[in-house]
Amino acid sequence: QVQLVESGGGLVQAGGSLRLSCAASGRNFGNYNVAWFRMAPGKEREFVGAQIRFGSITYYAESVEGRFTISRDNAKNMLYLQMDNVRPEDTAVYYCAATSRTSSSTSTQYDYWGQGTQVTVSS
């Protein structure tokens, strides 16, 4: 089992940067496929990006490709989302997620979720 806790959200101006962190408890964090999702008010949960176990492959939603970067430090049981050149439409609650199943952009594939951290981008 894995427990996840996000941090690092806040208010940022458009064009700025923010780094979200996700602290994982439990062993062998590197064995899990991980992902970031987000949910804006009145919208469904949206895939942001995912990284396959041990960081071998990372892929992103088209809306964030080239602006957001996922990284992880398995020794510290940490997952990160570096958000650069943010836009007002990036405003949402951001969630980290993990699964021992196949990596996917579908939220139902993920078994473990954090509580979320709010990111607000002002124009």
Side-chain angles (χ1 to χ4, degrees):
Q1 276 225 333
V2 176
Q3 291 186 325
L4 304 171
V5 178
E6 301 96 336
S7 61
L11 176 64
V12 59
Q13 286 190 331
S17 297
L18 202 63
R19 188 175 85 153
L20 306 184
S21 299
C22 175
S25 65
R27 293 193 212 172
N28 301 319
F29 180 60
N31 287 341
Y32 289 86
N33 294 314
V34 294
W36 288 92
F37 289 82
R38 65 187 182 186
M39 185 180 294
K43 294 188 177 181
E44 294 186 353
R45 189 170 293 183
E46 176 189 23
F47 171 74
V48 173
Q51 188 171 83
I52 294 177
R53 53 176 60 91
F54 300 114
S56 55
I57 297 174
T58 308
Y59 55 101
Y60 302 92
E62 187 176 333
S63 59
V64 306
E65 179 80 55
R67 300 187 299 121
F68 290 10
T69 304
I70 293 174
S71 62
R72 66 196 293 175
D73 185 337
N74 290 327
K76 295 182 179 180
N77 278 11
M78 294 295 295
L79 175 68
Y80 304 100
L81 179 67
Q82 177 67 40
M83 307 168 62
D84 296 319
N85 192 22
V86 296
R87 303 167 181 168
E89 53 264 38
D90 295 323
T91 295
V93 177
Y94 283 72
Y95 300 89
C96 60
T99 183
S100 57
R101 295 184 280 172
T102 304
S103 179
S104 172
S105 60
T106 304
S107 62
T108 54
Q109 189 72 357
Y110 292 84
D111 300 310
Y112 307 104
W113 292 84
Q115 82 291 350
T117 185
Q118 175 71 47
V119 172
T120 303
V121 182
S122 63
S123 57

